[in-house]
């Protein structure tokens, strides 16, 4: 994972008609990464993925823990603005598409959750 980045583009993980399943999966995935101390240097959040870092997100605790462990959490400012969530960011840094592209260029592997 050290040369990989994660892209979170959905409110959850995978494609499902059950939102609670997607949330349960991403929570488990992040928790297992933390337990194994196998962390990516960057996780980028855009489109519906920005909802994962805002007030009321059920995965704020693992994200805060990952950030404290040195993972850079980049959140799309355009997405936040379009969804009216700019004032609800609880974790990460608000950046732009340039920051996301830069992270992708530096990564050897890009994983979309």
């Amino acid at each position: 994972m050290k040369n990989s980045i994660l892209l979170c583009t959905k409110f959850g993980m995978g494609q499902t008609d059950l939102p609670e399943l997607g949330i349960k999966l991403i929570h488990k995935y992040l928790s297992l990464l933390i337990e194994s101390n196998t962390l990516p240097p960057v996780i980028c959040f855009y489109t519906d993925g920005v909802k994962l870092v805002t007030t009321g997100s059920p995965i704020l605790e693992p994200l805060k823990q990952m950030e404290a462990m040195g993972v850079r959490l980049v959140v799309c400012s355009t997405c936040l603005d379009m969804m009216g969530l700019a004032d609800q960011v609880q974790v990460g840094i608000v950046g732009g598409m340039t920051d996301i592209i830069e992270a992708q260029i530096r990564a050897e592997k890009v994983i979309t959750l």
Side-chain angles (χ1 to χ4, degrees):
M1 274 294 177
K2 76 177 188 176
N3 295 322
S4 301
I5 67 165
L6 301 179
L7 303 180
C8 293
T9 63
K10 301 174 188 147
F11 186 67
M13 184 175 175
Q15 201 72 17
T16 179
D17 291 333
L18 301 170
E20 61 277 3
L21 174 59
I23 290 297
K24 184 173 185 151
L25 291 174
I26 197 163
H27 192 284
K28 185 67 168 179
Y29 183 87
L30 297 177
S31 296
L32 289 171
L33 287 180
I34 292 166
E35 284 176 28
S36 68
N37 202 28
T38 308
L39 303 173
V42 180
I43 303 175
C44 298
F45 300 85
Y46 57 94
T47 59
D48 281 342
V50 300
K51 296 174 184 175
L52 296 170
V53 302
T54 58
T55 304
S57 167
I59 66 161
L60 286 176
E61 285 312 310
L63 289 175
K64 288 178 180 180
Q65 193 174 355
M66 292 178 97
E67 187 173 50
M69 296 170 77
V71 177
R72 188 169 175 236
L73 307 176
V74 179
V75 187
C76 174
S77 61
T78 302
C79 301
L80 289 168
D81 290 340
M82 292 289 294
M83 293 180 194
L85 297 172
D87 62 342
Q88 295 184 39
V89 175
Q90 299 296 309
V91 65
I93 58 163
V94 176
M97 197 53 67
T98 304
D99 298 302
I100 294 169
I101 291 170
E102 181 182 317
Q104 290 175 335
I105 290 170
R106 291 179 184 209
E108 290 179 19
K109 185 187 283 186
V110 178
I111 301 167
T112 303
L113 299 178

